Every structure is written in structure tokens, then in C-alpha cells.
Amino acid sequence: MLVLRNMQTREKSGLFQEDNKIFSDRFRQFFIGTIIAAIGGILNLILFGDQLFDSHNLLYFRLDFIAFIIGIVITAVLYSRLGQGQDNKVMTSFLWAWAIIMAFTTWFEGGLHSTLLLSFPILFIFAALFARKLAFLSICSFLSVVIIFMGVNHIYGWFPPPDGMLIEGVPRLISALVLSTLAGYICWIFGGLLRNSFDELKLENKRVLESQDTIRKLANCDALTGSLNRMGSESAYQDLLKGVDFKNESFVIYFIDLDNFKSINDLFDHHAGDQLLITISKRLAELVFNKGFVCRFGGDEFVLALPVQHGFDIEGFAVDIMKSLRKPHFTLVTEAKITASIGIMVANDGLLSFSDLCKKADMAMYQAKQAGKNNYHLYSDKLHREYMRNLTIVSSLESALSNNLLDVYFQPKINLQTNEIDSAEALIRWNRGNDNGIGPGEFIPIIESTELIHSIGSWVLSEACRACKAWRESGKVIKVAVNVSALQLTRSGFYQIVVDALEENDLPPGLLEIELTEYSLITEEPLVKKQLAALKKLGVVLAIDDFGTGYSNIAYLTQLKIDVLKLDRGLITQIDQLKDRRVVVNAVVKMAKELDMKVVAEGIETDAEREVIASLDCDYGQGYLWSTAVPSLEFIDLISKKADPTIALAKPVPA
Ligand code: C2E
Ligand code: MG
Ligand code: MG
């Protein structure tokens, strides 16, 4: 562009640019050269031109001598005008002045025989190079006419030059030498100018190539990490594909999504997040070496693509990636640890585009996230179908939430000593517009890898608090327990959402219980721990849900001062018949008592189960024996009835 613009400017003004200092300087040199040459001519006449003082000559005082002096004066005057933005006019005047002087002096000194004729080509070249079109044409025409005139004049002898004016001998030699030197000098000066212009042009060209290279890099590379971006990857993939022999090789795409990267940004700052992304990109580049390429696909998503020989340990490589990313990262602020979920797509032909391969690997990654993160998953057609189904579920749920098609039901928790309702667990229900009858046990894990878990989670929380307020207003102070996904705790605003829900409904924090999955405890995420500690400090009751199904970190139970353990239904069902379960529950209850925790047994369906649970000193029971989850208004009716251990409060209908 720059070159083009400059070329256009040159085209308009010609090589001769009025405001160009370099040209003005060169013209000055040339003017000085001309003056020196003219002085040389004069000295030549004085020193060697004997005829000058020949008394027989009518033109005693030689006119060519005078002409040169006039030329010198004019040149000196014009010299002083150079560099004032009028160089064009100055140059035209100079050329005309010397064209006339040289026409006269050449005729005067013998016409076509004169060595001064050598000045004509100099003027021609000069006018061609630096004069505007009109000046060039007129000067050339004039000089051509002069040459023709001198030729014809010579033949016919119309206006013969004065006798004896033709310089011979040494002065002729000097004159030829001076003019040739002047011509050489001019060529040297303007040759330098042209060389400079070429150098400038070359430099500009280099700059343009460099900027084209930068633009290409910017378009193909990620500005932060320097890895390829999506656009760059598509062509890198096509390049690599050319060398892949699908008879013996496959092309593997590892779609890497960092787990809970947002919390790093939330907890530290974006600069630390950026640092982390840079080191991650470097580690991935080291892994792929020069066999494939690394692409930063978006925010915290990377793609590692490489062709591999059949038999290559594809899953082992995914493990290597995970290991490499798990190593501590030293950001500016602190040491950060991060895990990643990886989706793997193996292409056995080159039919799909890079973005299609990535879509499939992304689906597999989604599956890895759902399986609890810090995991990898291989793409398969079955996975594709599941993925599509999940997508439909997520979008249907999204519209269900915005169209008020979701409900929150409440299931009572019974105090096993008093048989009274102690609290209620809020459970989401999707009864309307849910053609497939999908329950929360299925859809909650699906939305846990999407934004929806945050909006639905907040909505359930505020509905639960609203219901608790309504029960309170009807005269029953009953605690409400809300299930909170670990994902919700990875958002820095969660604590405030809880505070707002409590304040809006004028509830003391002790009336709210938060049911956490064991994952919330085992996660290394500092933000989760920080928010749990803050909630605990606020006075909110913390419970561990489904205890006994995962790998609870007992240390965290004490660190966070968990208030309630909810034994999973798996431990309770048929406890009256299975001794092993009784032993486990007995041990857990004892441990909980030691740690000052209350214990809730989930999923009590029979009176026999209730009896055993009660005999094991468990504090609370929850299950279909008393009631399924019911709407808030119905729950008020339940509260009014005394929980009878033998009579179910509501007809047990599976949720
Ligand atoms: P959970 O928190 O362990 O809830 C208890 C589940 O057991 C509920 O299923 C409840 O209806 C069921 N249940 C209670 N008593 C019995 C019984 O005696 N027998 C049997 N067979 N089942 C019983 P639900 O409502 O389908 O919820 C399933 C899971 O979905 C919940 O397990 C919880 O993890 C999740 N969930 C439900 N609502 C929410 C919510 O609002 N937010 C989050 N994050 N998760 C929720
Ligand atoms: Mg629960
Ligand atoms: Mg549970």
C-alpha cells in the first residue's frame, strides 16, 4: 500500500519533486558544477585563447566570454532560490538560460565544429530527467532547431560565426575535457540519486513484505500465546494432511479444555490467567514437538493435532498431556494448579475439515467434563448421539427456565427422635414441557458443564428461600436444604447470591442448608474452599450429600466444619437385611458424632429400614416412607400433620 501510494505520488509529480530536499541538494551540486565548468571555460579562454586578445578581431571583447558570465550570474541567482518549494521553476529557468547561452556560444565558437556542442546532450539528459513535460519538450525542440540551424547554416553559410572564434589546440582539448567532466559529474550526482531511490524502494519493499508477514501471523496466530489460531490451524492441518499415509497412519485431534479456568481469573487476575495460558501453550508445544501443531481454539481451549502411526498409544498421549498440564504453574502472583479435560478424535481419512474434527473432539471433551473433569474421552458415534440429545435437553431446559416451566418441590427430613419434620430438601422438578420425563438425576449432570447450572442453581436457591419464608409466615420455622453443584461454587459471585437470597426473604442464614456433593470437598480449587468457608462463617449450614458414594476427604470434613452428613440411599436400602450396611452406617454415625455432625439417612422407604436407622442413633431420616417431594403449598399441609412413623405423610410416588 505504502509503495503504491508513493508510486502514485511520483507519477503525479515525476521524478522531480519540488519539496524534496534531496533533489534540491543535488541541484545545488549541479549548479555549482555548472558554475565551475563555466569559470573553467572562461579561464580556458583567458589562459589559452590567444585570439581573445587579437586586435584584428572585430569582436575584441568576446561575446561567449560575456555569455558565460551571464550564465554564471543567472545560475548563482537561481541557486539561491533552490529549496523554497519552487525548484521546478528554478530548474526550468536554469535549463532555458543555459540552452540559450550554449546555443549562442556554440554558434559563436564555430557551430557544429565547436566542442561546446557537447553541452547539448547534457542539457537533453538533464531536461529529460528533471524537467516537466512541457519544459522538456520545448527545450529539446529548441536545441534540435539550433542544431539544424547550425547544420544548414554551415552548408549554406547564412550566418557564419565570426572568423577566428573556433577554438583550436589546447583550449579545444580543455573545453572538451571540461564538458565531458561536467557530463560525468551530472551522471554521478543523479546516478547517486537514482541509487538512493532504488535503495529506498528496496527498503520499502522489505518493509511491506515484513508487514505482510506480520499481518499473516496476526491472522493465523493467537496474539497472547503465539500458538496458531483456528484460521492458521485449518491451513496447518491441510499442509500436514498432504504427508499423511492413512494406510499406516491416523490423524489425532486432542481437544483440551482447562477445568475451572475461570476461577483462576476470578481468584487472581486476568494477567495471571494470561500467564497460565502462555505456559500451557508452551508445554503443549513441547509435547507435540515438530510432529504436529498446537492451536489456541478459544479462551481456555487448546487443540493439539498430530499424525500418528497405527499402534501409537493415543490414550497414553492424552494422559501425558494431562500430566504435563497438572504440573504447578508459576504465575506472577502465585503457584497455580490446573487440570484439563480432553476430547480425542481419531481421523482415519482426510475427508473431514479441521473444524469438523474439532467439533467431534469437542463433543468427546464435553463427555470428559461430565465424567468429573481431569479426564479424557474418545469420540464415537454413540457419543455423538448422546451429545446431540444433551444439546436438546440443555436448550429445552433453557426455554423451560425462561418460560417458568420449572418447579421446586420439597421433601421433608424427619427428626427420628421426635418424628417431626425438621427441615425440607428443595428438589427441582421439570414437569411441564418435558416430553421424555427426564428427572434431575439425569439433567443436572448434563447442565453442569454449561452456564445453565448457574442460572438454574440461583433460581432454585431463591425459590427455596421464598418457600421457607412462606412457611415461616404460616407459623412454622423449618430449615430448607438446597442442592448446590460444585460448579456453582467455582463462580466468585456465588456467596453474594446466597446472601441476596437470604436478605430478600428476610431469613437468618441458619435456616438455609447447602447440600454439597463430595466433589466440592475433594476439589483443589481455592475459590470453592474460600466460598464455603465464607458461607460457614455467615452461619449457613453445610451438608455433604450422598455420603458414602464418592471418595470423601475426611480431612476437609473437619477443616470446613461440615454440619451434616447425608448418607446415600445406597447405604440405607435394605439395611434391615444387610449386616454390612449396618456396620458401615454404625461406624459413620459414630465418626460423625465424634466430629459433632448430624447424620441424615436418605431414601428410607420401609418402616424396617427406619427402625434400624433410628436404632443406630441416626438423627434424621428422609424418604418415601414419609413423603416424596411435594410443591411448597402442599408442604405447608405436611408440616401441619405430625410425622407418624407408621403412617406415610403423603402417598409414596416415585419422583
Ligand atoms: P439428592 O440431592 O440426593 O436428592 C435425593 C434424591 O432421592 C431425590 O431425587 C429424591 O426424590 C430421591 N429420593 C428421596 N427419597 C427417596 C426414596 O425413598 N426412594 C427413592 N428411590 N428415591 C428417593 P431427585 O429429586 O430425582 O433428585 C436427584 C438428584 O438430582 C438429587 O439427589 C440431586 O443431586 C440432584 N438435584 C435435584 N434438584 C437439584 C437442584 O436443584 N440443584 C442441584 N444441583 N441438584 C439437584
Ligand atoms: Mg440432596
Ligand atoms: Mg442425596
Side-chain angles (χ1 to χ4, degrees), residues 102 260 305 445 571 583 634 636:
M102 293 321 290
N260 311 322
L571 285 175
V583 172
E634 271 182 50
I636 296 181

Side-chain angles (χ1 to χ4, degrees), residues 581-592:
R581 291 189 185 170
R582 278 202 298 279
V583 172
V584 173
V585 171
N586 189 30
V588 173
V589 172
K590 283 210 169 100
M591 178 199 74

Side-chain angles (χ1 to χ4, degrees), residues 411 425 428-429 440 460 483 545-546 569 602-603 605 623-624 655:
Q411 188 180 31
E425 177 174 7
I428 191 168
R429 290 291 174 264
V460 171
N483 291 286
D545 206 353
D546 306 335
R569 188 159 62 89
E602 283 187 302
E605 291 188 353
Y624 293 167

Side-chain angles (χ1 to χ4, degrees), residues 427-579:
L427 294 159
I428 191 168
R429 290 291 174 264
W430 183 15
N431 295 333
R432 293 160 288 154
N434 178 3
D435 301 336
N436 301 319
I438 303 164
E442 191 178 353
F443 68 72
I444 291 286
I446 292 174
I447 62 167
E448 271 185 334
S449 51
T450 70
E451 280 295 303
L452 202 53
I453 189 66
H454 301 284
S455 41
I456 285 193
S458 308
W459 175 78
V460 171
L461 183 76
S462 82
E463 286 295 297
C465 290
R466 211 157 58 88
C468 187
K469 182 187 182 190
W471 307 332
R472 236 179 137 201
E473 283 168 356
S474 75
K476 296 283 175 191
V477 180
I478 301 278
K479 269 188 286 182
V480 71
V482 177
N483 291 286
V484 169
S485 159
L487 266 298
Q488 289 172 262
L489 287 156
T490 60
R491 285 281 167 92
S492 56
F494 181 73
Y495 173 80
Q496 197 50 47
I497 290 172
V498 174
V499 172
D500 292 348
L502 290 170
E503 279 176 2
E504 265 163 36
N505 296 289
D506 211 10
L507 292 183
L511 279 188
L512 177 67
E513 184 173 311
I514 285 183
E515 291 193 12
L516 307 157
T517 56
E518 286 177 290
Y519 177 77
S520 311
L521 293 189
I522 58 165
T523 178
E524 291 285 324
E525 282 206 44
L527 189 60
V528 173
K529 291 186 207 158
K530 196 177 153 194
Q531 296 205 89
L532 283 177
L535 288 168
K536 174 77 195 171
K537 201 171 163 211
L538 183 70
V540 171
V541 181
L542 298 183
I544 295 299
D545 206 353
D546 306 335
F547 188 81
T549 50
Y551 325 86
S552 278
N553 187 331
I554 306 281
Y556 285 140
L557 289 184
T558 52
Q559 261 177 35
L560 283 169
K561 297 198 174 56
I562 297 292
D563 305 284
V564 181
L565 276 192
K566 291 191 76 183
L567 302 178
D568 188 69
R569 188 159 62 89
L571 285 175
I572 307 302
T573 310
Q574 296 183 318
I575 195 165
D576 51 317
Q577 297 158 38
L578 301 168
K579 192 182 163 213

Side-chain angles (χ1 to χ4, degrees), residues 230-250:
R230 288 189 201 199
M231 211 167 102
S233 300
E234 192 70 62
S235 51
Y237 170 67
Q238 293 302 336
D239 285 349
L240 273 181
L241 209 58
K242 286 178 200 147
V244 180
D245 166 21
F246 280 106
K247 274 190 204 133
N248 303 307
E249 290 176 294
S250 306

